[in-house]
Amino acid sequence: MRSKLLRNKWLSHGAVLIAGIAIGWLALPLWRDGLMTWHQQRYGLLVEQCDSAMRDHLQAKLQAANAPSRETGMALYAGEVGLIVCQDYDLYQKRLLQWGLSENELAQMRLKAIEARADDLDEVVATHEIRF
């Protein structure tokens, strides 16, 4: 009698375990899509702000190297301070990774953010382009 109960216990627990794994595996894409949809606007804003800050910093750095002066030095300092927004972007990105998004999904969210703010192809190209 005891071996029959033990066998039934293993079968029922095994079936529940397999069902739980299957449900979790099927629910994972829905979880990720929900995360992407929920966080797209905030993440997109941070992408845009960090991209702009990096571009401004690069331009200020190049100007300071080509024509050193107090004004270009102050512009470079302002560009460096502006890079603080990239810290917020990085922390937000790490939080999304902890919640289960992959690097590919984050890249997809970044591309959607770039496309959302671009009216035409020239703006998309300009966003990805670093001008010297």
Side-chain angles (χ1 to χ4, degrees), residues 44-107:
L45 178 64
L46 288 171
V47 166
E48 183 177 346
Q49 289 173 345
C50 182
D51 183 52
S52 179
M54 287 191 299
R55 186 178 297 112
D56 291 346
H57 177 257
L58 178 62
Q59 290 172 349
K61 189 175 182 179
L62 293 173
Q63 285 178 346
N66 289 336
S69 70
R70 178 168 169 72
E71 290 79 25
T72 58
M74 293 302 289
L76 179 58
Y77 180 74
E80 289 170 351
V81 170
L83 289 174
I84 291 173
V85 73
C86 293
Q87 176 74 10
D88 296 337
Y89 160 75
D90 192 42
L91 289 171
Y92 202 78
Q93 180 170 276
K94 298 288 190 271
R95 187 178 321 143
L96 291 175
L97 285 168
Q98 286 178 332
W99 279 94
L101 293 182
S102 68
E103 287 289 339
N104 287 336
E105 290 160 336
L106 291 174

